Amino acid sequence: MMNALREDLTQMNMVVRQLAVDTDLYTLPSTTIRTPDLEPQPVKIKARNVNVFYGEKQAIHDVSIDIPEKAVTAFIGPSGCGKSTFLRCFNRMNDTIEGSRVDGLIELDGRSIIDRSLDVVELRARVGMVFQKPNPFPKSIYENIAYGPRIHGLVRSKADLDEIVERSLRKAGLFDEVKDRLHDTATGLSGGQQQRLCIARAIAVSPEVILMDEPCSALDPIATARVEELIDELRENYTIIIVTHSMQQAARVSQRTAMFHLGNLVEEGPTEKIFTSPEVKRTQDYITGRFG
Amino acid sequence: MNSMLVTLVLLLLLGFAYQTGWSRSSRLAQVEGRLHSKPIYHGALVAIWAIVPALLILGLWALFGTATANTRFRTLTSAVVLASAFGTGAIGLYLARNRISARFRARNEVERIIRYLLIGCSVVAILTTLGIVLSLLGEALRFFTFVSPVDFFFGTVWNPRFSSVGTGSGDFGLLPLLWGTVMIATIAILVALPIGLMTAVYLTQYAKPKTRNIIKPMIEVLAGIPTIVYGFFALVTVGPALAGLGAMFGLDIRATSALTAGIVMGVMIIPFISSLSDDVIRQVPRALRDGSLGLGATESETIRRVILPAALPGIVGAVLLAVSRAIGETMIVVLAAGNSPYLRLNPGEPVSTVTVTIVNQLTGDTDFSSPQSLVAFALGLTLFAMTLVLNIAALFIVRRYREQYE
Ligand SMILES: Nc1ncnc2c1ncn2[C@@H]1O[C@H](COP(=O)(O)OP(=O)(O)OP(=O)(O)O)[C@@H](O)[C@H]1O
Ligand SMILES: [Mg+2]
């Protein structure tokens, strides 16, 4: 009975979605993802048969995955398996790499983002990114946060900007630490503070998705714990994808986990399931540290 | 004595000494087993011991010998010197050869000598600089016994009056020359900075590697053109063209003027600015660029707001180096600036510069004790001080900038 209802709902969803596409309303989710302990999540990003090439070399093979909205998805896998490469597809940062090529289907809220004609400026405002090494600009803390809102013309007045800066820093849990030195240079902050500043910088343009590529790999355990806490809080409002080499981190912060190997998606599902009863042996071997 | 022959003998001595050390230590190795140092080190050490004293004696003779040698005894003295040189060489050879033993640390000694050699080479450059400064300083001080430093550094009239050489009269005001130099350098930078910087931005941020590999060497060709050729170009092509252009707009631009020289000099220093800026822009970490692009900034916003500000100190350093190059440049201004040492504001008029004036004061038959020619050394010293300060400032800035990203 329930199942039949679900079927119907899905059907309806698809019809509505088609309608939405036709009428240029892209806000409706294409489908939902069920994860234990969570409400079924609408799909934020949908990837189908994605291939990425660097010149002749293929780095991602035919990967399909759904990323749920307002949840944390972790990408794990041994070094060089293509996690960063795949992550960069979602905000088209691969465009900045000479000789790279992406094909397949990737949709954000049901709208293709692979399309050449898509405006990457707008896309990157919606899909922010935090890098492996903290990379604050050599400007003041304030200017770092104000950078994004300024280039996107999100503010009219200085007061607006002040407010955005404060709000972003608060969300990143950094405000109290830096409120007295907003105009000091950001490179003077500690590594952990710098990384939270980079998160605040990404938040300042009000993205919907935040991509994080090993955001804690340059941080000590305490700074890492703070960032993890922050990620957990941000989940309420943002869709987060995090690449990590730490199994504990993936287990702690994510709701869903995707395991990559040699450019292929090995397995993907609720984090708990991946960590307790993976279906593929290779996943288990990797998680328990037997390879990778 | 035929210097070819001397060289030949020296080479023979070198080869013989090396061979001696090598074969003796090789033989020793057969008897005693493994030596501390390989035979080549023993050979090299014996060769050094043989050749260095001989070279020293010959070198000293070349430097001071000719001055003291009495013509009557010339052949005799040179024979004595040569004999003592080769004699010392032979003694050195003999002594070094006798030191060879299984435990003798020839390798360490050779390494040490090589280090001294390298230090010696770098000292040569430093000593040369020092020598230049001292000789400039000496002559300049002589000049200041004729003309007071105040009149020189703050005088507004330049009129050395060649006809009255020897009487010490004439006006030696530096300011008109300095003004010409500064004006031309400024025009040059105004031309070279935007073009050079934008070229660097294009090459580092936009150009595909292939394009870059073609364009970069082509720009660097500009740096290899002899400055006299730029001078011709200014005199024959740019000057008349500018004058014609000025006439079209009712401006009076002379064919040889600060403008002509400045523009051509600007072209000359474009490669300086572009390749130095290219280096500093390249040093800005890619992570900063990605961070900006990742926030949705466009390529040009990223360059303007992140990359150039981050590279700014390095670019300033590059500009300072280019300025010091422009200030010291001579050939272009000799030909194209018009040689007219007056304080004039209009860049369309001819000017003169410090370098041109040095050339003027030292060419022709002047005797080197009159202020008319001695002033060249005071001018040279001024120029040297200016470029030195600029270079040091530039190096300092560039180094600070490097540290920022280590
Ligand atoms: N700019 C590039 N040009 C060419 N090949 C690249 C480039 N970046 C990555 N690759 C290749 O693509 C493959 C996937 O790289 P990627 O950086 O995505 O791996 P990763 O899973 O993020 O590894 P890590 O965990 O070490 O960060 C690797 O084989 C790598 O050599
Ligand atoms: Mg990676």
Side-chain angles (χ1 to χ4, degrees):
Chain A
M1 173 64 195
M2 278 301 276
N3 270 351
L5 195 67
R6 277 263 304 285
E7 285 291 340
D8 287 348
L9 270 174
T10 319
Q11 285 287 325
M12 244 177 75
N13 226 332
M14 280 175 64
V15 172
V16 173
R17 194 181 141 244
Q18 197 49 49
L19 264 174
V21 170
D22 292 341
T23 53
D24 228 22
L25 280 171
Y26 295 117
T27 43
L28 278 169
S30 53
T31 167
T32 59
I33 300 178
R34 294 180 60 82
T35 307
D37 311 335
L38 285 176
E39 297 293 305
Q41 300 288 318
V43 169
K44 184 72 179 175
I45 298 175
K46 174 177 156 187
R48 292 290 177 272
N49 310 103
V50 174
N51 294 292
V52 184
F53 302 85
Y54 291 114
E56 296 293 293
K57 189 169 162 265
Q58 186 161 5
I60 290 290
H61 299 266
D62 215 27
V63 171
S64 302
I65 191 172
D66 286 332
I67 306 291
E69 187 172 36
K70 298 196 176 150
V72 179
T73 304
F75 287 178
I76 60 171
S79 189
C81 66
K83 308 177 295 288
S84 303
T85 302
F86 190 53
L87 190 74
R88 283 197 301 263
C89 294
F90 300 140
N91 67 345
R92 295 271 298 264
M93 278 302 275
N94 281 326
D95 289 13
T96 67
I97 295 169
E98 195 71 38
S100 72
R101 187 161 57 80
V102 180
D103 67 33
L105 172 100
I106 302 178
E107 288 179 351
L108 176 65
D109 287 339
R111 185 181 191 182
S112 168
I113 59 168
I114 293 273
D115 199 354
R116 283 247 154 236
S117 64
L118 175 108
D119 181 13
V120 292
V121 168
E122 196 202 322
L123 173 68
R124 288 176 190 159
R126 293 176 63 194
V127 183
M129 185 153 196
V130 176
F131 297 83
Q132 177 167 1
K133 252 181 74 189
N135 58 348
F137 304 131
K139 300 169 183 279
S140 71
I141 295 170
Y142 184 96
E143 286 299 320
N144 262 277
I145 312 284
Y147 185 82
R150 283 221 181 97
I151 56 176
H152 291 291
L154 300 180
V155 284
R156 290 220 175 67
S157 64
K158 176 88 170 66
D160 275 0
L161 194 58
D162 288 349
E163 208 233 279
I164 291 186
V165 170
E166 179 174 341
R167 183 152 38 87
S168 313
L169 283 171
R170 275 195 196 286
K171 276 193 199 158
L174 192 61
F175 187 72
D176 291 330
E177 289 164 59
V178 301
K179 63 173 179 256
D180 301 322
R181 45 174 175 153
L182 286 179
H183 296 283
D184 289 2
T185 160
T187 39
L189 295 174
S190 75
Q193 289 173 327
Q194 287 187 12
Q195 196 60 302
R196 279 180 284 145
L197 179 74
C198 292
I199 295 175
R201 185 173 73 183
I203 292 173
V205 290
S206 321
E208 298 152 35
V209 181
I210 304 177
L211 310 175
M212 300 185 173
D213 194 348
E214 299 181 42
C216 301
S217 66
L219 306 185
D220 66 53
I222 294 171
T224 300
R226 299 238 26 198
V227 172
E228 285 179 6
E229 237 169 75
L230 173 60
I231 293 172
D232 206 48
E233 286 161 22
L234 293 175
R235 164 160 73 92
E236 203 174 311
N237 299 307
Y238 304 93
T239 302
I240 294 173
I241 309 178
I242 178 171
V243 171
T244 176
H245 275 147
S246 153
M247 295 306 110
Q248 293 90 325
Q249 182 169 71
R252 279 194 298 262
V253 300
S254 73
Q255 286 74 53
R256 290 186 77 83
T257 297
M259 158 80 191
F260 290 81
H261 182 55
L262 297 176
N264 294 295
L265 177 62
V266 176
E267 180 169 6
E268 180 267 330
T271 299
E272 219 182 70
K273 176 163 175 298
I274 298 282
F275 276 85
T276 51
S277 51
E279 267 156 33
V280 184
K281 179 152 181 310
R282 206 181 296 131
T283 312
Q284 183 163 19
D285 287 350
Y286 180 68
I287 287 167
T288 53
R290 237 166 288 166
F291 94 102
Chain B
M1 177 98 179
N2 193 329
S3 56
M4 280 274 280
L5 196 62
V6 176
T7 318
L8 195 70
V9 176
L10 277 176
L11 281 177
L12 281 176
L13 181 64
L14 186 75
F16 177 67
Y18 181 85
Q19 174 60 28
T20 310
W22 189 84
S23 55
R24 188 180 160 98
S25 54
S26 307
R27 247 180 287 121
L28 199 62
Q30 278 165 9
V31 185
E32 304 232 354
R34 206 168 157 277
L35 304 184
H36 170 272
S37 306
K38 283 191 285 184
I40 55 163
Y41 287 108
H42 288 286
L45 192 62
V46 175
I48 290 169
W49 271 78
I51 205 81
V52 170
L55 274 181
L56 268 180
I57 290 177
L58 288 174
L60 286 175
W61 166 247
L63 272 180
F64 306 108
T66 39
T68 54
N70 187 321
T71 32
R72 245 183 50 192
F73 299 115
R74 186 168 223 139
T75 12
L76 185 65
T77 10
S78 56
V80 169
V81 168
L82 282 176
S84 59
F86 291 122
T88 340
I91 295 172
L93 192 159
Y94 177 74
L95 288 178
R97 175 181 172 277
N98 281 351
R99 285 170 76 202
I100 294 174
S101 73
R103 306 258 291 283
F104 182 55
R105 296 169 175 245
R107 168 162 45 82
N108 306 30
E109 202 145 314
V110 169
E111 292 296 334
R112 199 170 61 234
I113 291 169
I114 287 177
R115 207 177 77 220
Y116 290 142
L117 192 75
L118 298 180
I119 293 174
C121 288
S122 55
V123 166
V124 167
I126 298 170
L127 285 183
T128 313
T129 317
L130 215 64
I132 290 174
V133 173
L134 286 181
S135 82
L136 274 180
L137 206 62
E139 301 295 312
L141 286 179
R142 266 175 76 200
F143 168 72
F144 286 127
T145 59
F146 292 95
V147 178
S148 92
V150 176
D151 289 344
F152 174 68
F153 285 112
F154 300 104
T156 55
V157 179
W158 177 264
N159 184 8
R161 252 175 272 167
F162 273 108
S163 51
S164 57
V165 165
T167 64
S169 69
D171 297 304
F172 296 93
L174 173 68
L175 289 181
L177 309 178
L178 207 54
W179 171 247
T181 298
V182 168
M183 185 150 72
I184 290 178
T186 309
I187 295 171
I189 289 297
L190 287 180
V191 171
L193 182 58
I195 298 180
L197 197 54
M198 286 187 211
T199 308
V201 167
Y202 170 71
L203 286 178
T204 52
Q205 310 293 315
Y206 291 90
K208 296 227 159 62
K210 231 189 208 157
T211 331
R212 192 184 139 76
N213 287 344
I214 299 170
I215 294 183
K216 210 171 167 181
M218 277 169 69
I219 295 171
E220 269 149 20
V221 165
L222 277 182
I225 298 176
T227 53
I228 186 84
V229 175
Y230 278 108
F232 288 151
F233 177 58
L235 189 65
V236 176
T237 314
V238 179
L242 277 177
L245 203 67
M248 262 168 58
F249 296 100
L251 291 172
D252 185 22
I253 299 178
R254 306 280 295 278
T256 55
S257 65
L259 200 60
T260 311
I263 289 176
V264 174
M265 197 187 285
V267 174
M268 182 192 82
I269 58 181
I270 285 173
F272 265 84
I273 300 213
S274 76
S275 68
L276 286 173
S277 312
D278 185 309
D279 288 348
V280 286
I281 291 177
R282 207 165 282 285
Q283 291 219 343
V284 175
R286 199 191 147 88
L288 286 185
R289 179 168 176 242
D290 286 348
S292 172
L293 292 174
L295 283 167
T298 63
E299 195 90 40
S300 72
E301 279 167 341
T302 303
I303 291 163
R304 264 185 298 124
R305 290 165 175 251
V306 175
I307 294 179
L308 287 185
L312 191 65
I315 292 169
V316 171
V319 170
L320 289 186
L321 283 180
V323 170
S324 90
R325 177 77 205 246
I327 287 176
E329 169 50 36
T330 312
M331 267 358 268
I332 295 176
V333 277
V334 165
L335 288 175
N339 188 21
S340 156
Y342 299 101
L343 270 176
R344 290 188 181 118
L345 271 180
N346 181 358
E349 298 267 357
V351 292
S352 187
T353 68
V354 178
T355 49
V356 171
T357 312
I358 293 178
V359 174
N360 287 342
Q361 300 307 111
L362 289 184
T363 45
D365 53 344
T366 48
D367 79 78
F368 276 79
S369 55
S370 70
Q372 275 79 359
S373 55
L374 283 177
V375 70
F377 296 98
L379 291 172
L381 196 65
T382 314
L383 205 59
F384 181 81
M386 283 165 70
T387 50
L388 189 69
V389 168
L390 283 171
N391 280 327
I392 290 176
L395 286 181
F396 182 73
I397 292 172
V398 170
R399 187 168 312 158
R400 281 280 300 275
Y401 169 78
R402 290 256 155 82
E403 279 164 10
Q404 196 181 327
Y405 292 116
E406 295 285 78

